[in-house]
Amino acid sequence: MAIASSPDTVRVTLDPLCPGRISGMQCGQFIEYLCNLVPGMWSERLYDGNFEGLSPYKFDFIAQSDFKEKPWVPCGAVNRADFSLDTKDPVNGQTCQKIAVEGGTPCTVGISQEGLFLDPGDPCRLSVWLKQDGIAGPVKVRFSERGTPLASCEFNPGHAWKRYEATISPSARSTEATIRIEFRGPGTLWVDAASLMPIRTVGGWRPDVVKALKELKPGVIRIGGSVMDDPNLGSFEWKDTIGDPDRRTPFRAWGGLQPTGPGLEEFVQLCRAVDAEPLICVRTRAKTPKDAAEEVEYFNGAVSTPMGALRAKNGHPEPYHVKYWQVGNERWGGEYEAQLPEFCKAMKAVDPTISLMSSFPTEGVLRGSGGLLDYVCPHHYDCENLAAENEDFQNIRQMIAAFAPGRPIKVGVTEWNTTAGDRGLKRARLWTLENALACSRYQNLMHRNCDLVEIANRSNLTNSFCSGILQTDSARLYLTPTYYAQKLYANYAGTRPLKIDPPPPLTEGLDISATLSESDDTLTLFVVNESMETVSRHFDLPGDWKDAEVWTLADTKKADEPDATNSFDDPRRIVPASSRAKVGGSVMDYQFSPLSLTVLVLRR
C-alpha cells in the first residue's frame, strides 16, 4: 500500500471554531413504524397474534427474502373443520380466528405457526384470549421442533372471551419451533390476542437491543416518521397505541403488520431506560391543533387533566415530561405553514415548557411561526455530499436571521443518512464500511456547525432494509460499521470544536475534527480516511499531551473494499481496535489506515 511521500502538517489550535457546544444529541437515533423495524426490537415471538393477516412490505432490499413473518396455518384434521376470520366480536382489531367442527365425528384440529425461537434459559409467558361453544375437553397448546416436544400447556375456555396465561419453559433450544393451538371436536373455538413474550424483557423490548442502544449514548431518540403524516403508508392513530395492549387496534406501516405492544408510551419508556430524551413527532395532516394538544397532555399533563387522568388509568400517574415535540413530518408549503402556528399555540398552552420543532424549514415557516419554534428540522439524505449539506446549514442560518431575527432557533436534523430513496440492491451500501465513513464525515460537519445543529437523528435504528445500525432476527443481533462509528463519536467527542490549519476539505481528502473537553484536559481528534491509501500527518498540538489512546474502525480482514460489512456469520469483521500512539509533548506523527475512522484521545 502506497504511503504519501511528504507528510503534511496539521496545526491544532485552542481557538474555538464556533461559539457553540457539541451536544450529545447530535448522536441521536430514529425509530419509526416501518415494516420490521419495530418488530425487530420488540420481544414478541409470535407473528400476527391478533389474526389480522400478514401483508408483504411496500419496500424492498432483496424482495425474494425480505418478508420473513410466519403465518398461522390450519393443522390437524383440517378436512373436518371450517377455518374463518370472524368479524363479529374480536378482542381487538377487525377479526379473530374461528375454527368450527360440526357433526359427531371426533377429531383434533387447530392452528399452528412455525419458525419460533425458544430457549430453556429464557422462559416465556404465553397469553391468549379464548372462547368456545360445544367443546367438551381442554384447548391444548403444544411447542415442538420436527415432532420433538419442547413444552405444552392447556386451558379450559368458557362461552365468553377470557384471557389465559401459562409459563413456557422449553426443554431445548430451537430457532425453528412450532406452536399448535388445538382442541378435540366437534365444537367451535375462537382465538384472539395471542402472545408469546419472554419473561425477561426491558418493558417489553429485547434486552440485547436495549443494551446496544444504551451503549450508543444516543442523547435523544425521535419517534415518528412517515406513517405520522402519510395516510398512504399506514393508518396510524396515536391513541390506538395506548392502554391495554390486548385491546389496542393493530395497524400496518409500509405494509408490515405492527405488533400492538410497542406503542408511543412504550417508546417513551424505552428512551428513559437508555438515558435518552424522547422526541415525539405529531401528525398534522387531517388532524387539528386539539389532537396535538391532547397528545402533549397525555404525556405531560397532571392527573387532574382529562388526558393525564387517562394516562393514570393506563398505569402511569406521573407525567413523562416529554420536552421535544416535532409538529409534522416532511411537510412544507402553504397548507402546512398556515396551520403550524395554531398547532404550536395549542401544544404550548398545555405545557409551556416544551420545545417545539417544525417540519422542513422554509421562509413561510419562520415568518409565521418563528416566534413559537425552538428548532427547524431539515432531513439530510445525501450526507456524503458534505458541500451540499453544509450549504443547506448556511442557508438555514440566513433564513433564521432574516425571518426570525433575535430568536435562538436551532437546527434538529431529525432524519439523516447517505440515502433514503434507493430501493433494491443499492441499499446494501447502508450497512457497509463506506457508509460508516460517510456518516463519520457528516458527524465532523455537525461538530463544525454545533452553534446551529443541536439535534440529529440518524435514520434508522433497526433493520430497515440495511439502514438500521442494529440488525436483528428472532434470536440474534449484530452491529453494523456505522453503529461502531456513532458509538465512538458519542463516547469520545468533546464539547468544543477547535480550529485546525489547514481547514478540513468538504470534498476529497482527510477529514479531521478536533474537539476539546469542557474541562480542557482531553483533546480528541476524529480522522476519516476514505481513500484506498495510507495517509501520514504531522500534528502540531497546543500544549503538552500524554501518549494518545487510539481507536481505529477499519476492516480487520484488510480486504481494501469499501463495501466490507458485518453479518450474522461474521459480526465482528469491522469493529474498533484499540492501540496507543506516541506523542512528543506538543507534536505527533501518525499514519492513518486506508478506509478508516481513527479516534485519537489525548490527555494532559
Side-chain angles (χ1 to χ4, degrees), residues 54-124:
L54 296 171
S55 55
Y57 305 145
K58 295 180 180 179
F59 203 87
D60 65 77
F61 164 46
I62 300 177
Q64 297 91 331
S65 61
D66 285 341
F67 189 71
K68 300 175 182 178
E69 282 83 344
K70 303 293 186 179
W72 292 100
V73 297
C75 64
V78 297
N79 55 303
R80 294 193 178 276
D82 178 36
F83 296 83
S84 63
L85 295 177
D86 194 346
T87 61
K88 291 181 180 178
D89 183 30
V91 173
N92 63 20
Q94 302 297 314
T95 62
C96 62
Q97 178 68 62
K98 179 181 178 183
I99 310 167
V101 179
E102 297 182 355
T105 303
C107 62
T108 299
V109 68
I111 53 174
S112 67
Q113 186 177 120
E114 299 177 342
L116 306 185
F117 169 52
L118 296 174
D119 191 285
D122 192 18
C124 294

Side-chain angles (χ1 to χ4, degrees), residues 256-493:
L257 182 67
Q258 303 299 297
T260 57
L264 285 194
E265 202 160 358
E266 284 78 13
F267 277 116
V268 172
Q269 292 164 1
L270 171 65
C271 293
R272 301 303 191 209
V274 299
D275 301 321
E277 290 290 334
L279 189 172
I280 296 179
C281 180
V282 303
R283 282 185 63 182
T284 55
R285 199 184 303 274
K287 291 295 178 182
T288 68
K290 181 176 181 292
D291 296 321
E294 286 183 343
E295 192 169 351
V296 174
E297 186 176 276
Y298 182 85
F299 286 96
N300 293 2
V303 294
S304 57
T305 65
M307 297 306 293
L310 178 59
R311 183 193 66 244
K313 180 181 177 182
N314 289 337
H316 203 284
E318 289 298 316
Y320 286 104
H321 300 296
V322 176
K323 179 178 180 180
Y324 298 100
W325 295 84
Q326 186 173 13
V327 188
N329 176 70
E330 295 190 347
R331 294 206 61 197
W332 67 95
E335 179 185 5
Y336 176 70
E337 292 167 0
Q339 68 181 164
L340 181 59
E342 296 309 312
F343 271 79
C344 292
K345 291 174 185 176
M347 296 167 73
K348 281 274 193 178
V350 171
D351 184 352
T353 70
I354 62 176
S355 292
L356 289 178
M357 314 175 76
S358 77
S359 185
F360 291 153
T362 64
E363 176 183 335
V365 162
L366 289 166
R367 281 187 184 276
S369 304
L372 299 165
L373 293 171
D374 300 283
Y375 298 83
V376 290
C377 301
H379 286 177
H380 283 173
Y381 275 111
D382 189 16
C383 73
E384 63 185 344
N385 188 347
L386 289 188
E389 306 300 29
N390 184 63
E391 182 180 4
D392 191 44
F393 285 147
Q394 306 322 314
N395 288 339
I396 294 172
R397 283 182 192 275
Q398 294 171 12
M399 279 199 297
I400 293 171
F403 305 117
R407 283 283 296 160
I409 296 176
K410 301 290 187 180
V411 163
V413 188
T414 48
E415 295 181 30
W416 68 272
N417 206 324
T418 53
T419 182
D422 283 347
R423 299 192 179 204
L425 300 180
K426 291 188 180 298
R427 287 187 68 84
R429 64 175 298 193
L430 286 166
W431 58 23
T432 64
L433 175 58
E434 179 185 50
N435 190 75
L437 300 181
C439 289
S440 297
R441 293 197 69 193
Y442 186 75
Q443 293 280 174
N444 287 353
L445 180 67
M446 289 193 291
H447 285 180
R448 296 191 280 270
N449 287 276
C450 68
D451 59 325
L452 177 71
V453 183
E454 188 170 272
I455 287 175
N457 306 96
R458 190 200 160 278
S459 173
N460 249 318
L461 181 65
T462 311
N463 298 335
S464 304
F465 311 98
C466 309
S467 72
I469 52 177
L470 310 180
Q471 293 290 317
T472 69
D473 64 12
S474 63
R476 301 172 294 177
L477 173 151
Y478 75 86
L479 309 171
T480 68
T482 305
Y483 171 92
Y484 289 111
Q486 291 224 287
K487 184 176 177 180
L488 289 171
Y489 277 90
N491 281 274
Y492 291 104

